[in-house]
Amino acid sequence: LESSLLTQPWASVCFGETVFLAKACFRDTDYILLISDLSSVWYESADAEAVGQRSKELNKRLTVPVSSFLHRLGKLMRHLLEGQPDAATSFSCHRDASGLSLHVKSELSGLPFYWDFHCCPAPVEMVSRHLVRPLIRISLALQYQVQELTSLLLQKDAEIEDYRESGAALSRDRLRTELFQKERFQQNFMAE
């Protein structure tokens, strides 16, 4: 299940005034949720037995198979993570020393539907695998792209200068550009 979560993108979600990054993976028999405010990271993983038990506690009037329950919950979370939450669904969040609780209130088959995600602090390895390593890889890829683009700009400047020295002239003066200054670009890039 956690390896399936690795393929899910992070999404920005807002609960009250707080913005979180979250991702989730739901299957017919289990789910995993990972959520962060970039200061802390929490997660919850639950199998069919845990989901069945909690659904009985929270939804006494609902009698649906666990797979249907997970399907509905997954659909609600997918809409939230895609930035298109269901209008009839509300989410609220509560943090304390032991973790983070995410409360869901919706409907299922015309009856009230409730769910609480009880997230605990994520282990360091999980944070590293899902957040730190991907961010470092993206940072390195972006640095490589900046180096490639810098090299290409310097080559283009040399090519344009060669055209000018050969007598070529711009037909429209507004297209004229200044020479690319690698050091100034790098200083501005780091400052930003």
Side-chain angles (χ1 to χ4, degrees):
L1 182 61
E2 190 182 338
S3 60
S4 297
L5 185 64
L6 277 170
T7 64
Q8 300 301 311
W10 286 95
S12 179
V13 294
C14 192
F15 303 119
E17 299 292 316
T18 309
V19 177
F20 292 90
L21 290 177
K23 62 181 186 171
C25 184
F26 286 83
R27 299 189 303 196
D28 287 343
T29 57
D30 51 12
Y31 73 81
I32 187 168
L33 168 70
L34 194 58
I35 187 165
S36 174
D37 62 359
L38 295 183
S39 292
S40 300
V41 180
W42 303 272
Y43 85 105
E44 183 185 45
S45 181
D47 60 15
E49 184 178 336
V51 170
Q53 181 63 34
R54 193 177 309 164
S55 68
K56 286 177 188 172
E57 294 168 9
L58 296 171
N59 302 284
K60 296 184 184 344
R61 293 172 42 193
L62 279 175
T63 53
V64 295
V66 170
S67 61
S68 298
F69 198 88
L70 281 165
H71 177 74
R72 175 67 177 156
L73 193 56
K75 185 176 179 183
L76 294 174
M77 288 302 292
R78 190 168 41 258
H79 286 293
L80 174 71
L81 295 174
E82 291 172 353
Q84 305 165 343
D86 186 332
T89 303
S90 66
F91 292 88
S92 61
C93 179
H94 174 72
R95 280 186 277 191
D96 59 30
S98 64
L100 177 135
S101 295
L102 178 59
H103 310 287
V104 182
K105 184 178 178 182
S106 187
E107 285 186 1
L108 179 62
S109 303
L111 294 171
F113 169 83
Y114 303 101
W115 188 255
D116 291 339
F117 292 97
H118 300 293
C119 302
C120 62
V124 173
E125 176 55 32
M126 180 182 264
V127 174
S128 177
R129 187 171 38 255
H130 289 274
L131 196 61
V132 177
R133 284 187 227 157
L135 287 173
I136 289 173
R137 285 187 193 121
I138 287 173
S139 177
L140 291 173
L142 290 173
Q143 287 176 8
Y144 177 75
Q145 284 183 337
V146 166
Q147 291 171 352
E148 289 291 310
L149 290 172
T150 299
S151 176
L152 184 61
L153 283 171
L154 292 171
Q155 290 173 8
K156 291 289 186 185
D157 280 351
E159 183 179 338
I160 292 168
E161 189 58 32
D162 186 56
Y163 287 140
R164 283 187 188 139
E165 289 174 358
S166 301
L170 285 173
S171 60
R172 290 168 276 181
D173 216 34
R174 64 180 171 81
L175 296 177
R176 183 175 309 279
T177 58
E178 294 188 23
L179 288 176
F180 178 71
Q181 295 178 357
K182 180 179 177 179
E183 293 78 22
R184 189 172 76 188
F185 171 78
Q186 288 176 331
Q187 288 173 350
N188 291 341
F189 183 79
M190 293 309 288
E192 289 176 9

